[in-house]
Amino acid sequence: MKQPHATSATVTIKHVARHAGVSLGTVSRVLNHAGNVDATLRQRVQEAIRDLGYEPNPVAQSLRSRQSRVIGVLMPDIQNPLTAAAVTGLEPVLTRAGYTLFLANSHSDRERESDVLEQFKRRRVDGVIVMVANDNDEATRAQLRDFSVPQVMLERVIDIDVDCVLTNQYEGTYRATRFLLGLGHRRICLITVPAITHSGRERLRGFEAAFSDLGAEVPRDLIHSGGRQHPYGRDAAYSSLIGRDPATAIVVSGGHLAGVIEAVRLLNLSIPKHLSLVTLGDTELAALIEPPITAIRYDWAATGRCAAELLLDHLAGSRGSTRQRITVTHEFIIRGSCAAPGGKAPLAG
């Protein structure tokens, strides 16, 4: 008697192997995204899976491989539009590879961060992508060193043997500051995240280098790098825009931009007549406000994709022992928010 065709509910790995003319081990390696599979055999297995409508059982796969098929992703502030873009970039890469995300927000709090990393351990995640709150913290480094799964750092440089994916905050801040200096500004304010992170340190370094290369004095009273949230940006901008020698321009991180705009409105100032503004990180707010804000645009979605691909390479065993440090490029988007001091000759792109 002729046997009926198996349905998608009854198709097994054995059916796939028979249909593709390969061993069970080859099918298993393809399903687990192993790197040591010949491209032709991989294609035959993938075609067999499509032809038969095979749907892997994630629970059974996890039990067989002792993998959870879960990736832990830890961010300091998921509400920040730039870090949210990074998550948007990495999520589809991992999902297509058969992984589920365990996404957590540390709120830039070390205790919360530590608790989340311990949860990742208990749930036996297969790997982690992490943006720590403080990449100089020894307790953080020790905890991550003790984590035996593959790790990728996002926008952080930490003294442990892991890959990292970065944006070029030094070059971006340098370009923004030199642009304003070229317009004639000298009272330029910098509002950014704390220097306990790679981003904060690199922005400060780029800001100072721009002044130094022009032989101008750095306005240290206008440097604000102590907080991350909206109120900090508002208060820092407000304090820099009042007094006898106020700032005539501001370079601000994307996460603080809304706070700066609030301070500008509270003081009834006009951009660029009274204040020129450049944001480090392009956001919807920067593009839609009137006038649109000149921006250093980092492709944060690309950083997320790159981090996910590096992690998948580790999980597939296709990476050597050499760790990578990848820097994503940026664009300088000139809009209508900048002019010479006093509002003369506004520049727009």
Side-chain angles (χ1 to χ4, degrees):
M1 176 185 289
K2 186 177 180 180
Q3 295 294 321
H5 289 294
T7 66
S8 61
T10 60
V11 172
T12 69
I13 189 173
K14 292 181 180 179
H15 293 113
V16 174
R18 188 179 305 122
H19 190 86
V22 300
S23 68
L24 290 174
T26 297
V27 177
S28 178
R29 288 194 297 276
V30 171
L31 291 173
N32 286 299
H33 307 281
N36 57 337
V37 181
D38 177 79
T40 302
L41 294 181
R42 184 184 298 277
Q43 183 176 352
R44 279 163 53 185
V45 171
Q46 290 169 340
E47 288 175 353
I49 289 171
R50 286 194 296 271
D51 291 347
L52 298 176
Y54 173 69
E55 296 180 1
N57 182 327
V59 175
Q61 277 190 298
S62 176
L63 290 172
R64 285 193 299 269
S65 65
R66 296 191 178 182
Q67 292 180 323
S68 65
R69 309 298 296 176
V70 175
I71 301 298
V73 178
L74 176 61
M75 294 289 170
D77 180 10
I78 200 62
Q79 290 184 318
N80 184 311
L82 304 179
T83 51
V87 174
T88 301
L90 64 87
E91 186 271 339
V93 176
L94 296 174
T95 299
R96 283 195 299 269
Y99 289 91
T100 300
L101 265 63
F102 180 173
L103 177 61
N105 191 353
S106 73
H107 305 286
S108 298
D109 178 79
R110 168 58 194 151
E111 186 174 341
R112 165 69 177 159
E113 186 176 83
S114 178
D115 288 345
V116 169
L117 290 172
E118 285 305 313
Q119 286 184 50
F120 286 171
K121 263 190 178 182
R122 288 196 296 271
R123 300 199 181 199
R124 300 182 183 278
V125 299
D126 293 335
V128 294
I129 297 174
V130 181
M131 184 185 290
V132 295
N134 181 352
D135 54 15
N136 280 333
D137 184 67
E138 180 53 42
T140 300
R141 289 197 291 265
Q143 189 172 18
L144 290 169
R145 281 194 200 101
D146 193 43
F147 216 157
S148 59
V149 299
Q151 305 168 41
V152 177
M153 289 290 123
L154 191 59
E155 197 58 18
R156 299 291 185 263
V157 175
I158 193 163
D159 188 22
I160 59 175
D161 190 23
V162 296
D163 288 339
C164 56
V165 182
L166 310 167
T167 54
N168 196 334
Q169 296 292 333
Y170 169 83
E171 182 64 27
T173 308
Y174 181 91
R175 289 184 69 182
T177 308
R178 277 301 296 260
F179 177 71
L180 293 169
L181 288 166
L183 290 176
H185 294 278
R186 293 299 180 269
R187 294 291 290 166
I188 304 173
C189 170
L190 174 66
I191 302 174
T192 184
V193 296
I196 58 174
T197 67
H198 176 75
S199 299
R201 292 190 297 275
E202 290 297 281
R203 288 172 182 167
L204 181 58
R205 195 168 69 89
F207 183 76
E208 292 175 339
F211 278 89
S212 176
D213 287 354
L214 203 66
E217 184 178 355
V218 178
R220 299 201 175 276
D221 60 314
L222 297 179
I223 295 175
H224 303 274
S225 61
R228 291 183 170 91
Q229 302 302 321
H230 173 110
Y232 181 82
R234 179 197 60 212
D235 295 346
Y238 192 94
S239 67
S240 297
L241 293 169
I242 59 174
R244 288 181 297 178
D245 195 12
T248 61
I250 295 178
V251 176
V252 59
S253 62
H256 290 121
L257 178 61
V260 171
I261 297 300
E262 183 181 355
V264 168
R265 290 178 175 171
L266 286 171
L267 292 168
N268 199 28
L269 300 178
S270 176
I271 298 172
K273 181 179 179 181
H274 302 120
L275 176 74
S276 290
L277 187 57
V278 181
T279 179
L280 303 174
D282 201 10
T283 63
E284 286 188 5
L285 174 62
L288 295 176
I289 199 170
E290 186 57 41
I293 308 302
T294 294
I296 300 295
R297 177 185 290 167
Y298 297 104
D299 191 344
W300 276 81
T303 68
R305 289 193 297 272
C306 185
E309 288 162 0
L310 283 174
L311 190 64
L312 289 175
D313 285 346
H314 280 294
L315 292 168
S318 59
R319 286 290 313 283
S321 58
T322 303
R323 295 302 180 230
Q324 290 198 37
R325 179 171 173 168
I326 297 174
T327 301
V328 176
T329 58
H330 63 273
E331 300 176 77
F332 192 13
I333 310 299
I334 299 177
R335 298 185 176 123
S337 65
C338 296
K344 299 177 182 178
L347 297 175

